[in-house]
Amino acid sequence: MCIRDRIYKAAHNLILAHAEAASIYKQKYQALYKGKIGINIWTTFGWPHNPENKEDVKAADRFMWFVVGWFAHPIFHGEYPDVMREIVKDRLPKFTEEQKKKVIGSIDFFAMNHYDSILIKPGKSTSHGSYYEDRNITELEDPKWNHTDMGWPITPEGMHDCVEWVYNNYVKNTSLEIWLTENGVAVREENITAALNDHNRIDFVHRYLTTLLRAKEEGIPV
């Protein structure tokens, strides 16, 4: 295996390790402790840079399968997304039938970590190795977006759209809930006075949770 393709093997082993841990917990401990088990998935959302451009729409769709579907799809279907298999081909590992039995259904809720979203158009990157070359996208930002102190774009509407994407592609027609397990903002606070007058963080949380509430009001179990 080429060293640049080891990211696919690492992710594959991560999914198998999760499935094994979930299987052990469900068999030995869940009835006793009544706990639930999930797997946190990083869920940056990708909008097409130009929604009227078919290639931008395809690139944004490909981005979502390579970011979210990479880990979610095996848990629901026992396979990686079709677009990943078409592009990565035999460099993408395969699940055995026995592994599929453990992987499928190995969560009790869909856990998503969401901070930001991005604009997407086609454009091959050669700077980070095979995964980035395979997904063949360019990430852009709207110049009007504000940023956190870490430089991440502040894009509250993306939270709604990402939850909606997860629901439509995975959670719909199941009994699973979507849990937001990470979100927040890095804000530079030089002293206690600045920390106590934390208006930027209050605004961030309010705007993001407002879009999450809208998703809930639309019937998404989040």
Side-chain angles (χ1 to χ4, degrees):
M1 175 180 290
C2 173
I3 191 169
R4 296 195 309 165
D5 290 332
R6 290 181 181 174
I7 186 172
Y8 293 120
K9 183 64 173 178
H12 191 74
N13 287 340
L14 186 153
I15 294 168
L16 292 176
H18 156 76
E20 188 65 29
S23 177
I24 292 171
Y25 181 79
K26 289 173 181 290
Q27 290 178 31
K28 294 186 176 182
Y29 304 109
Q30 194 165 44
L32 176 63
Y33 294 108
K34 313 298 183 186
K36 294 184 178 182
I37 193 164
I39 183 171
N40 289 35
I41 298 178
W42 187 271
T43 58
T44 295
F45 189 73
W47 291 298
H49 180 253
N50 178 2
E52 304 301 319
N53 185 306
K54 292 182 179 179
E55 293 305 311
D56 286 5
V57 172
K58 286 173 59 178
D61 185 61
R62 186 167 61 251
F63 173 82
M64 293 304 297
W65 292 118
F66 265 81
V67 174
V68 182
W70 187 11
F71 294 93
H73 215 74
I75 290 171
F76 286 84
H77 302 290
E79 302 283 357
Y80 291 108
D82 290 343
V83 67
M84 290 190 71
R85 182 62 66 190
E86 290 168 6
I87 294 171
V88 185
K89 297 183 169 60
D90 291 340
R91 293 183 293 116
L92 192 63
K94 295 181 174 66
F95 296 98
T96 67
E97 292 304 314
E98 191 62 29
Q99 289 169 343
K100 290 179 184 180
K101 292 177 183 178
K102 285 189 176 181
V103 171
I104 295 174
S106 58
I107 59 173
D108 299 316
F109 57 93
F110 192 109
M112 55 181 284
N113 297 350
H114 180 83
Y115 293 91
D116 57 10
S117 301
I118 204 74
L119 299 174
I120 301 294
K121 70 176 184 179
K124 191 175 291 292
S125 168
T126 59
S127 60
H128 299 289
S130 64
Y131 169 76
Y132 292 92
E133 294 174 12
D134 290 335
R135 66 184 194 172
N136 187 23
I137 61 98
T138 298
E139 298 181 11
L140 302 164
E141 295 186 11
D142 187 320
K144 296 191 292 291
W145 289 347
N146 294 321
H147 294 79
T148 72
D149 199 53
M150 293 177 66
W152 295 358
I154 298 175
T155 51
E157 192 61 32
M159 175 173 280
H160 168 275
D161 293 351
C162 198
V163 166
E164 184 178 52
W165 191 92
V166 167
Y167 175 72
N168 287 334
N169 285 283
Y170 293 116
V171 174
K172 193 174 184 178
N173 299 322
T174 76
S175 61
L176 298 182
E177 295 176 328
I178 300 171
W179 292 14
L180 180 66
T181 44
E182 277 191 27
N183 177 252
V185 58
V187 179
R188 185 176 297 279
E189 298 162 339
E190 301 291 352
N191 52 56
I192 189 65
T193 301
L196 290 174
N197 292 276
D198 204 4
H199 299 296
N200 288 335
R201 182 171 282 108
I202 292 170
D203 179 67
F204 178 98
V205 172
H206 173 77
R207 291 167 64 195
Y208 270 73
L209 292 186
T210 295
T211 71
L212 195 66
L213 176 61
R214 179 155 54 86
K216 189 174 183 66
E217 290 173 342
E218 291 168 354
I220 297 175
V222 61

